[in-house]
């Protein structure tokens, strides 16, 4: 691999893989000459991992790091960023493809701002994909929380629509996959309690936040009856605000998040009351510093040791639940005492 020049805008392509080798390979071939290194954090089953290794063994810019699956990639974002040696990180999912203008944008190093957002397009719509290209210096904190794993020091700059990503992963549920796995993770990390909404959704002084805080002024660990009212109000207010600048894409984005949050609420309420109370308590601990810190994944050596002892017959969502419940019950991350018995 060529030596990275500290005087230029170096770029690492960062991808997380769980049995999506074809999409990973597509992006490797498209961007191999556009970036300085390619970092893949892989949690695939054994056969898919072997396939990835075989297909990339002659590509000296590609580095593959094996980690245990956790149901979604966000808890491992810090681990992935730590493995990147460039000034900028270009983060792609396996079902996303850069268009030719975006590839040119990377090759020519036309960027100078620390953080860029991009439009992502599919056959039905256009919406904004946050934090695709960012400098490592722009990262404020890595939380690993689902859909918001990185917090930045500033707001991203939106690149013009001709430079965009192509989405190959949309399903009938909409842009965000509303699967049981996602709703399970949300129930541990972001149950829609008064506490979560007041402290993490309404954490500004806008008129909308002031209205919301009055609606959610009851018991902090309860699921508010006013949540439907608030989300409908926020949908209307933000849609009117963004309609001129973002057009129809704003409406679809807001409608998707409305649908997603209502699905979260329905799923959480379907759990037994005892389980609801347990997950609310766990969420309060997770939200203090994020899931990455909570599970000890901010320590690369620990992640690698945990992976070394991992039973690859376990599903990612089951691993997530096991690690979170163990951390809550024992007050330390699993394996910190040297015992890696997953049973």
């Amino acid at each position: 691999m060529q030596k990275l020049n500290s005087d230029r805008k170096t770029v690492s392509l960062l991808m997380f893989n769980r049995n999506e080798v074809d999409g990973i390979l597509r992006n490797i071939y498209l961007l191999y000459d556009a970036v300085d290194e390619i970092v893949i954090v892989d949690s695939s089953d054994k056969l898919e991992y072997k396939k990835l290794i075989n297909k990339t063994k002659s590509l000296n810019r590609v580095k593959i790091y094996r980690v245990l699956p956790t149901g979604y990639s966000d808890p491992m974002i810090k681990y992935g960023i730590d493995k990147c040696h460039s000034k900028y990180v270009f983060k792609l999912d396996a079902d996303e493809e850069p268009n030719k203008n975006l590839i040119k944008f990377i090759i020519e190093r036309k960027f100078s701002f620390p953080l860029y957002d991009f439009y992502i397009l599919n056959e039905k719509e256009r919406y904004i994909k946050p934090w695709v290209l960012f400098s490592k210096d722009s990262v404020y904190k890595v939380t690993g929380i689902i859909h918001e794993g990185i917090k930045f020091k500033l707001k991203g700059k939106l690149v013009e629509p001709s430079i965009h990503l192509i989405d190959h992963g949309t399903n009938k549920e909409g842009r965000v996959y509303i699967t049981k796995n996602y709703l399970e993770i949300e129930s541990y990390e972001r149950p829609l309690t008064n506490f979560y909404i007041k402290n993490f959704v309404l954490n500004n002084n806008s008129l909308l936040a002031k209205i919301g805080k009055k609606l959610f002024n009851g018991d902090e660990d309860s699921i508010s009856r006013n949540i439907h009212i608030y989300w409908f109000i926020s949908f209307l207010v933000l849609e009117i605000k963004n309609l001129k600048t973002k057009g129809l894409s704003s409406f679809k984005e807001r409608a998707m998040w409305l649908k997603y949050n209502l699905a979260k609420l329905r799923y959480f309420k379907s759990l037994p009351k005892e389980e609801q109370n347990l997950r609310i308590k766990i969420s309060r601990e997770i939200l203090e510093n994020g899931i990455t810190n909570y599970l000890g994944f901010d320590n690369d050596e620990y992640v690698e040791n945990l992976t070394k002892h991992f039973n690859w017959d376990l599903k990612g969502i089951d691993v997530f639940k096991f690690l979170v419940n163990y951390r809550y019950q024992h007050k330390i991350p699993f394996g910190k005492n040297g015992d890696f018995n997953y049973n």
Side-chain angles (χ1 to χ4, degrees):
M1 187 180 81
Q2 67 181 38
K3 184 177 180 180
L4 303 185
N5 186 340
S6 61
D7 296 328
R8 61 190 289 269
K9 298 170 191 170
T10 52
V11 181
S12 297
L13 172 60
L14 174 61
M15 295 185 286
F16 293 84
N17 180 45
R18 171 71 174 160
N19 299 331
E20 297 183 276
V21 175
D22 290 342
I24 295 293
L25 292 173
R26 179 196 63 236
N27 287 337
I28 288 175
Y29 299 143
L30 286 172
L31 289 157
Y32 190 78
D33 293 324
V35 298
D36 298 273
E37 65 173 354
I38 297 173
V39 174
I40 302 168
V41 180
D42 184 85
S43 301
S44 300
D45 296 333
K46 292 178 181 179
L47 289 178
E48 290 295 303
Y49 174 64
K50 185 177 180 180
K51 175 182 175 182
L52 179 64
I53 292 293
N54 289 337
K55 291 286 187 178
T56 59
K57 59 185 178 182
S58 63
L59 304 175
N60 59 7
R61 291 190 190 181
V62 176
K63 298 177 182 178
I64 300 173
Y65 298 91
R66 187 83 158 136
V67 299
L68 72 163
T70 53
Y72 70 121
S73 62
D74 292 58
M76 294 295 180
I77 288 176
K78 184 182 184 303
Y79 181 86
I81 293 174
D82 287 348
K83 299 304 180 185
C84 296
H85 295 94
S86 302
K87 290 184 177 181
Y88 279 82
V89 175
F90 183 39
K91 181 181 176 297
L92 283 185
D93 293 334
D95 57 8
E96 296 166 352
E97 176 185 340
N99 79 329
K100 62 180 181 180
N101 291 331
L102 178 47
I103 297 172
K104 184 179 179 182
F105 183 74
I106 298 293
I107 291 174
E108 296 179 352
R109 302 294 195 266
K110 290 183 177 179
F111 47 88
S112 57
F113 196 70
L115 175 63
Y116 290 88
D117 297 343
F118 292 86
Y119 283 106
I120 184 165
L121 309 180
N122 58 39
E123 59 184 13
K124 296 180 180 179
E125 56 198 7
R126 177 185 77 180
Y127 62 99
I128 296 174
K129 174 76 173 183
W131 48 271
V132 172
L133 176 64
F134 56 90
S135 72
K136 293 177 74 173
D137 290 340
S138 69
V139 176
Y140 168 67
K141 184 179 182 180
V142 180
T143 68
I145 298 293
I146 189 168
H147 302 317
E148 51 180 62
I150 306 177
K151 292 188 179 298
F152 291 96
K153 299 174 185 176
L154 70 169
K155 190 175 181 180
K157 181 178 181 180
L158 182 60
V159 177
E160 62 179 84
S162 65
I163 301 172
H164 62 259
L165 293 163
I166 302 164
D167 178 17
H168 295 291
T170 301
N171 70 357
K172 64 182 180 180
E173 297 290 352
R175 294 188 299 276
V176 174
Y177 295 98
I178 307 179
T179 66
K180 184 179 178 181
N181 281 9
Y182 271 30
L183 300 180
E184 191 87 80
I185 293 163
E186 291 276 19
S187 71
Y188 280 97
E189 293 186 354
R190 303 189 302 184
L192 296 171
T193 60
N194 287 332
F195 170 81
Y196 171 72
I197 295 171
K198 285 170 64 177
N199 291 280
F200 294 90
V201 178
L202 308 175
N203 57 350
N204 59 64
N205 293 317
S206 68
L207 176 61
L208 185 58
K210 291 176 181 178
I211 293 171
K213 285 174 181 177
K214 289 189 176 182
L215 290 171
F216 303 106
N217 59 1
D219 176 15
E220 289 200 332
D221 285 337
S222 66
I223 304 294
S224 176
R225 295 179 180 178
N226 292 322
I227 193 165
H228 295 86
I229 298 173
Y230 168 74
W231 244 271
F232 183 70
I233 292 173
S234 68
F235 173 76
L236 291 177
V237 171
L238 292 173
E239 177 51 33
I240 292 170
K241 179 181 177 182
N242 293 328
L243 191 58
K244 288 185 179 180
T245 56
K246 298 180 182 178
L248 190 59
S249 65
S250 172
F251 177 83
K252 292 178 178 178
E253 184 178 2
R254 295 293 166 192
M256 180 273 295
W257 282 112
L258 176 63
K259 181 179 180 181
Y260 185 77
N261 279 294
L262 293 179
K264 282 172 55 176
L265 185 62
R266 286 194 301 271
Y267 179 78
F268 192 82
K269 286 189 171 183
S270 73
L271 298 171
K273 190 65 179 178
E274 184 178 351
E275 186 64 23
Q276 289 181 30
N277 293 335
L278 173 63
R279 296 189 188 190
I280 287 172
K281 291 176 183 176
I282 292 174
S283 74
R284 291 289 290 269
E285 293 189 0
I286 289 174
L287 289 169
E288 285 185 20
N289 293 297
I291 192 69
T292 299
N293 173 272
Y294 191 68
L295 296 183
F297 289 174
D298 48 1
N299 184 311
D300 291 0
E301 184 179 353
Y302 169 70
V303 171
E304 289 160 4
N305 202 22
L306 199 60
T307 302
K308 181 180 177 181
H309 294 87
F310 181 65
N311 177 357
W312 287 92
D313 294 329
L314 299 175
K315 294 181 180 179
I317 187 61
D318 293 332
V319 176
F320 173 84
K321 292 170 66 176
F322 172 82
L323 293 176
V324 167
N325 281 290
Y326 184 97
R327 171 64 174 80
Y328 177 74
Q329 293 170 10
H330 297 273
K331 308 307 176 188
I332 60 170
F334 172 69
K336 283 287 188 177
N337 59 2
D339 180 11
F340 292 94
N341 182 7
Y342 284 85
N343 297 322

